[in-house]
Amino acid sequence: MSTPFPFTAVVGQDDLRLALLLNAVSPAVGGVLVRGEKGTAKSTAVRALSALLPPVPVVAGCRFSCDPAKPDAQCPDGPHEPGDGVERPARMVELPVGASEDRLVGALDIERALSEGVKAFEPGLLADAHRGILYVDEVNLLHDHLVDLLLDAAAMGASYVEREGVSVRHASKFLLVGTMNPEEGELRPQLLDRFGLTVEVAASREPDQRVEVVRRRLAYDDDPARFTARWADEEAAVRRRVVAARELLPSVRLGDGALRQIAATCAAFEVDGMRADIVMARTATALAAWAGRTEVLAEDVRQAALLALPHRRRRNPFDAPGLDEDKLDDTLEEFGGSEDEDPDPGPDGPDGSGGGQPPADGPEGDDTGARPEAGEEGGESGEQPAGSGPGEQRPAPAAEPFRTKVLSVPGLGEGAAGRRSRARTEHGRTTGARRPRGALTKLHLAATVQAAAPHQRARGRSGRGLVVRRDDLRQATREGREGNLVLFVVDASGSMAARQRMGAVKGAVLSLLLDAYQRRDKVGLLTFRGSAAEVALPPTSSVDAAAARLESLPTGGRTPLAAGLLKAHEVLRVERLRDPARRALVVVVTDGRATGGPEPVALAGRAARLFAAGSVASVVVDCESGPVRLGLAGRLADELDGTAVTLDELRADSIAGLVREVQGNSRRAA
């Protein structure tokens, strides 16, 4: 096993180190979510934390790390008698993003349970992480069914494994730490709220600090043991401080004044539920213990708010996490903060510098000022006096998003789990049975009994038990929902450039992006204008990145519609090589007018054949407006074997028949 990089050797990242150490002092804080760009020591700091935790007393030989002072009465390896145990180092268990359900919760041998009547259980990662750290790198990419299991274990402090009436339960209390790059997609709100604290990390822009990062990393890579030995004294000092803070923690007093500040802060920032208040209280108490105090002060409450609230005040995936620190200070002062108190945590940080969340744009810091008035509808040249270049307008703001209903890809897929289109999945309603390929995971009990029943006399059955053999076992086949690739092909030419129209178009696409976020889709965005099409955002799980690109979308110039269709095919072809099981839905947003490049209708038939070969469904959003309409978008949809829908029809109360029409067109084409 390689020597981990020393925690105290991490350069900068004060907030990250402080949040991790507060959880080491008080695991009840609830874990840490670390958000930030790649290459910012997120994983390095997390992996180094376990070396600072005190050793854990366990019952000798117990696979579930029972506490010898209070052993779990329902432990599968029990019963255990209270008494002396053995000590082992605190564990940090990593959950791979692609792990199976059995790897996480454990595997129960169904064949032995049915044929021999014994519970042969192999513990999973939740058992290994009990009384330790469970670390999930790229936690935002974790599959939904694993997220559900994590939520259940975190809420109940126990893991349950059930297979057709045979169940095993064991304790599973762990410190949950996750790291993620927001560019790759956001977390489900339920899991986001389970993290007690969150920190944003970024690489330093100071040359001296960057030089020190490189110097330390090169020294560690050259000789890890020697580098670690150089930091042994600092590591030992922090370890002693963690132990001392843990011992002091029960003596820390959280007064009524501090509680009022906590409640007022949570109310002022309109966070949902009461978990934020509880986490803030525990964090403020841990901060006081870390500082060696027995009284929670206003600066503890302030620092707790900066760590516990940013991720809880988001209302949708397009909101940036963060707090308005001026509003925070005003709230603390109004509800008991003393003017002569220094809001800077001072020496409370892991290296003597408390750090704090950098101010981020929230609702109070958003650009809500007056926007330019809508101009006249532009022609194909898109000429506007306020443009940012020849034939180009200033980006129009998006209209208010609205609720949409699902647009499905017809047929039955086998892609990644999601909530859009029908698919064969490991989870969902049971639709049939088959012989298992490899290990049995989802037993179809009725089919298994039916397969075994004719052979009971030949197998010498006696008594009430059923004689079951391996060849009798049947795996349940299930149908659920998959996530798709939703590729937006947006006309940004001069004919679309009227601010009112483009604002409506952006609002519609934004609404579909919100729907894609809720349905666990990947999204991509390409635009066409002038003389070519370009990929504004390659396929990604980050719908907020797509929303940001959409907001700044420039318009103007001619309409190379054919180029947009061909570019869409190229993007889909490449993505299919990367993720062959994920089916696609192409949403073409245009008024159908083509003034640049080849005639699009002539190429639409070719595009339709290419789309059909890749299991791609298509919808054309008709943006044509005015009393005289040419119906060009409808002709384009016919050629694509897709469906045309107006902007108004995209709304939830108007779109009910659209999915049926898309599916009907697909069946007719087949």
Side-chain angles (χ1 to χ4, degrees), residues 619-640:
V619 173
V620 178
V621 180
D622 185 358
C623 303
E624 193 173 26
S625 61
V628 179
R629 304 196 179 196
L630 304 178
L632 298 176
R635 289 177 54 196
L636 178 64
D638 291 340
E639 291 295 328
L640 290 173

Side-chain angles (χ1 to χ4, degrees), residues 273-337:
M274 295 297 298
R275 182 173 284 120
D277 302 62
I278 297 170
V279 172
M280 271 191 67
R282 289 171 173 166
T283 304
T285 304
L287 280 162
W290 178 250
R293 289 186 269 101
T294 57
E295 185 80 16
V296 173
L297 303 181
E299 65 240 34
D300 300 322
V301 176
R302 185 182 193 277
Q303 183 67 57
L306 293 171
L307 293 172
L309 296 188
H311 61 302
R312 290 188 164 88
R313 53 159 299 275
R314 302 187 69 184
R315 290 295 180 265
N316 64 60
F318 308 143
D319 291 338
L323 292 180
D324 183 333
E325 294 197 35
D326 290 337
K327 180 177 179 179
L328 173 61
D329 291 336
D330 291 342
T331 303
L332 294 176
E333 183 177 350
E334 179 182 355
F335 288 88

Side-chain angles (χ1 to χ4, degrees), residues 266-622:
C266 292
F269 286 99
E270 300 181 351
V271 296
D272 295 331
M274 295 297 298
R275 182 173 284 120
D277 302 62
I278 297 170
V279 172
M280 271 191 67
R282 289 171 173 166
T283 304
T285 304
L287 280 162
W290 178 250
R293 289 186 269 101
T294 57
E295 185 80 16
V296 173
L297 303 181
E299 65 240 34
D300 300 322
V301 176
R302 185 182 193 277
Q303 183 67 57
L306 293 171
L307 293 172
L309 296 188
H311 61 302
R312 290 188 164 88
R313 53 159 299 275
R314 302 187 69 184
R315 290 295 180 265
N316 64 60
F318 308 143
D319 291 338
L323 292 180
D324 183 333
E325 294 197 35
D326 290 337
K327 180 177 179 179
L328 173 61
D329 291 336
D330 291 342
T331 303
L332 294 176
E333 183 177 350
E334 179 182 355
F335 288 88
S338 175
E339 294 186 1
D340 59 354
E341 287 182 308
D342 183 5
D344 186 357
D348 295 349
D351 60 350
S353 59
Q357 284 284 67
D361 294 333
E364 300 77 11
D366 289 341
D367 178 14
T368 55
R371 296 187 182 273
E373 294 294 328
E376 297 286 312
E377 177 168 342
E380 288 298 331
S381 64
E383 294 179 2
Q384 293 288 338
S388 57
E392 187 174 297
Q393 285 190 9
R394 179 186 297 114
E400 188 70 21
F402 50 84
R403 185 174 63 88
T404 69
K405 289 187 177 179
V406 63
L407 299 174
S408 299
V409 177
L412 194 63
E414 296 182 346
R419 297 183 179 180
R420 183 170 296 278
S421 304
R422 293 173 55 227
R424 299 182 186 91
T425 62
E426 289 294 321
H427 303 269
R429 64 184 182 91
T430 300
T431 58
R434 60 172 173 81
R435 291 181 182 273
R437 306 184 189 104
L440 178 71
T441 56
K442 299 292 182 181
L443 177 74
H444 194 298
L445 185 58
T448 298
V449 171
Q450 186 176 9
H455 309 291
Q456 296 306 295
R457 179 176 297 178
R459 294 174 183 174
R461 172 187 172 186
S462 61
R464 301 178 61 183
L466 187 69
V467 181
V468 179
R469 294 180 179 173
R470 172 69 183 175
D471 290 343
D472 302 326
L473 298 178
R474 294 295 183 268
Q475 175 89 17
T477 58
R478 299 173 182 254
E479 181 180 310
R481 293 279 169 176
E482 67 177 1
N484 298 120
L485 166 62
V486 182
L487 181 62
F488 295 94
V489 183
V490 180
D491 183 349
S493 64
S495 64
M496 298 281 290
R499 292 181 65 79
Q500 185 175 3
R501 181 189 298 183
M502 200 62 203
V505 167
K506 288 185 177 182
V509 177
L510 195 65
S511 303
L512 291 170
L513 282 172
L514 280 167
D515 182 70
Y517 166 77
Q518 294 168 348
R519 301 189 186 281
R520 313 291 181 260
D521 293 317
K522 292 180 70 173
V523 296
L525 176 65
L526 65 87
T527 64
F528 55 92
R529 69 187 186 98
S531 60
E534 64 177 358
V535 178
L537 183 71
T540 176
S541 297
S542 178
V543 295
D544 53 342
R549 301 292 174 87
L550 180 72
E551 184 67 26
S552 60
L553 182 68
T555 58
R558 293 186 175 274
T559 313
L561 181 52
L565 296 175
L566 294 178
K567 177 65 75 173
H569 166 254
E570 179 63 21
V571 170
L572 293 174
R573 184 186 67 81
V574 173
E575 188 62 20
R576 189 165 182 80
L577 294 175
R578 295 173 178 167
D579 192 355
R582 188 181 292 270
R583 299 184 296 162
L585 173 68
V586 176
V587 180
V588 184
V589 185
T590 181
D591 58 8
R593 300 179 185 179
T595 59
E599 171 59 37
V601 174
L603 290 177
R606 175 187 171 193
R609 290 190 294 274
L610 295 172
F611 289 174
S615 300
V616 178
S618 57
V619 173
V620 178
V621 180
D622 185 358

Side-chain angles (χ1 to χ4, degrees), residues 28-48:
V29 166
V32 186
L33 174 64
V34 188
R35 299 164 45 94
E37 59 197 29
K38 51 187 176 294
T40 50
K42 300 189 298 293
S43 299
T44 299
V46 173
R47 292 189 176 101

